[in-house]
Amino acid sequence: MLRPVLQRALLSLPAEQREVFVLREQAGVPFREIAEMVGVNENTVKSRMRYALEGLRKALAAAGVSEETAAEEPAPDVRLGRA
C-alpha cells in the first residue's frame, strides 16, 4: 500500500504522466510496450516519465520528504527513478 504522502504526490501528476509512472515503476512494463499501449512514440513515454519523476520530487519536497528521509525508510514495493 502506498503511503498517503506518495499517493497524494502521484495524484497531483497529470494523468498521462501518472499512467506512465505506474506502468513502468509498479507494473514493470518496458517503455516500448507502454508506447504501444498508449499509442505514442517511445520518446514521448520517456519524456512523460522524466516529467513524472520531476513532479513527484517537487511534490514530495513540498510535503517535507527529502531524498535523505526517503532513503531512510523506503516504501515497500515502490521503486522511484529506475531508467
Side-chain angles (χ1 to χ4, degrees):
M1 183 171 138
L2 294 177
R3 295 180 187 262
V5 68
L6 180 56
Q7 186 172 12
R8 283 192 301 277
L10 278 171
L11 291 174
S12 74
L13 295 175
E16 294 172 334
Q17 293 174 15
R18 185 172 52 247
E19 176 182 45
V20 168
F21 179 85
V22 170
L23 286 170
R24 177 68 179 179
E25 295 301 322
Q26 293 186 315
V29 180
F31 287 129
R32 181 179 66 332
E33 289 182 29
I34 296 171
E36 292 170 6
M37 292 169 68
V38 300
V40 298
N41 182 289
E42 185 176 346
N43 286 332
T44 300
V45 171
K46 290 177 180 179
S47 177
R48 289 177 183 176
M49 182 63 166
R50 182 175 60 86
Y51 285 117
L53 291 170
E54 183 178 299
L56 286 172
R57 286 183 188 109
K58 287 180 181 178
L60 292 172
V65 179
S66 67
E67 289 186 37
E68 293 79 25
T69 304
E72 292 172 7
E73 189 178 340
D77 300 325
V78 176
R79 303 173 309 240
L80 296 176
R82 181 186 62 172

